[in-house]
Amino acid sequence: MQTVYQTKINQLGPSVSDFLGDKMFILFGANAPSELADYCLLIDVNEINGEIEKDDILVLGNQQYTITSVGDVVKKNLGSLGHITLKFNGSETAELPGTIHLEERDIQMPQAGTTLQILKK
């Protein structure tokens, strides 16, 4: 499988767990505004190699999730700011332009140092 994107979670904001019940994570690069950083998984901002599309696979640590829809500005925001939202709700339509929707499954808090990848199916 081709790797479209790969990064590492460097730090977890103290309020990331507030969104576990909503099955949602917010990603942001190191330049996250302080009022948002508390709610984010802070990542390295890396280049994206190709398109991020429905049916691609998001790998978070040792868990794999199928992407169900991708917002219009995901590639731009992820590549420039590291800022997107991951929603594990199975939606076939991107509710917001900066959101990747993934299959609906239980999610666990990742640890700092966890790798996040997006792979072509």
Side-chain angles (χ1 to χ4, degrees):
M1 279 200 265
Q2 177 203 341
T3 302
V4 178
Y5 186 75
Q6 180 166 329
T7 189
K8 188 176 78 170
I9 298 169
N10 296 315
Q11 194 180 336
L12 282 79
S15 303
V16 167
S17 59
D18 292 3
F19 292 119
L20 273 179
D22 296 327
K23 295 187 176 180
M24 181 169 107
F25 291 126
I26 301 168
L27 305 182
F28 223 122
N31 59 348
S34 54
E35 65 273 13
L36 278 180
D38 285 355
Y39 299 95
C40 295
L41 302 176
L42 299 173
I43 63 168
D44 290 326
V45 178
N46 294 326
E47 211 174 295
I48 300 168
N49 304 307
E51 295 301 317
I52 300 169
E53 299 169 314
K54 178 179 169 25
D55 295 326
D56 288 350
I57 306 294
L58 180 121
V59 182
L60 186 58
N62 58 6
Q63 296 291 313
Q64 293 193 4
Y65 305 92
T66 301
I67 294 175
T68 57
S69 62
V70 181
D72 293 343
V73 299
V74 162
K75 183 175 181 181
K76 177 174 164 278
N77 288 3
L78 184 59
S80 60
L81 303 169
H83 177 46
I84 59 167
T85 301
L86 303 176
K87 280 192 117 175
F88 298 82
N89 64 358
S91 175
E92 301 273 325
T93 310
E95 292 165 18
L96 295 168
T99 300
I100 291 180
H101 292 271
L102 302 118
E103 64 183 287
E104 187 162 0
R105 293 221 328 255
D106 286 339
I107 57 172
Q108 269 104 43
M109 281 290 280
Q111 305 294 312
T114 300
T115 299
L116 183 146
Q117 294 178 299
I118 297 173
L119 305 174
K120 278 282 162 223
K121 193 160 187 178

